[in-house]
Amino acid sequence: MADVIYLSCDEDMPDHGGDQRWLIIEASDDGRFFGSGGSFKADGEWGGYGSLAESDLSLESALTAAQQWANKHVVPTIWVQPKPEGS
């Protein structure tokens, strides 16, 4: 299971370069939580993650969907920004 690290509203996810697995959930001003990420597939091809609208409704649902994707694609850390930037 991926580690979950919470960021403050003025903190960014560390930049690990373009060849590292990553996943972030970011709060929006309208109360939704959008997930995005990237990882290598089993065949070595790069694949991206974008959350679905039904997963964006709460932090809990966004985190559940992100954990499933992270486990499948061996992403070690999910970064979470629970409040919009500038809050």
Side-chain angles (χ1 to χ4, degrees), residues 26-81:
E26 297 175 282
S28 67
D29 290 331
D30 63 1
R32 293 184 293 164
F33 296 86
F34 299 103
S36 60
S39 181
F40 292 98
K41 298 178 184 178
D43 64 3
E45 183 180 340
W46 185 253
Y49 173 77
S51 61
L52 300 175
E54 59 265 21
S55 299
D56 297 341
L57 300 177
S58 71
L59 180 54
E60 182 179 290
S61 62
L63 204 52
T64 297
Q67 284 281 11
Q68 291 172 353
W69 192 84
N71 290 340
K72 182 177 179 181
H73 296 282
V74 195
V75 177
T77 306
I78 299 172
W79 301 90
V80 178
Q81 196 164 49

Side-chain angles (χ1 to χ4, degrees), residues 6-36:
Y6 290 87
L7 303 167
S8 65
C9 59
D10 61 345
E11 191 175 11
D12 292 325
M13 177 186 79
D15 184 359
H16 296 293
D19 61 345
Q20 298 294 314
R21 296 173 155 108
W22 63 279
L23 205 157
I24 188 166
I25 297 171
E26 297 175 282
S28 67
D29 290 331
D30 63 1
R32 293 184 293 164
F33 296 86
F34 299 103
S36 60

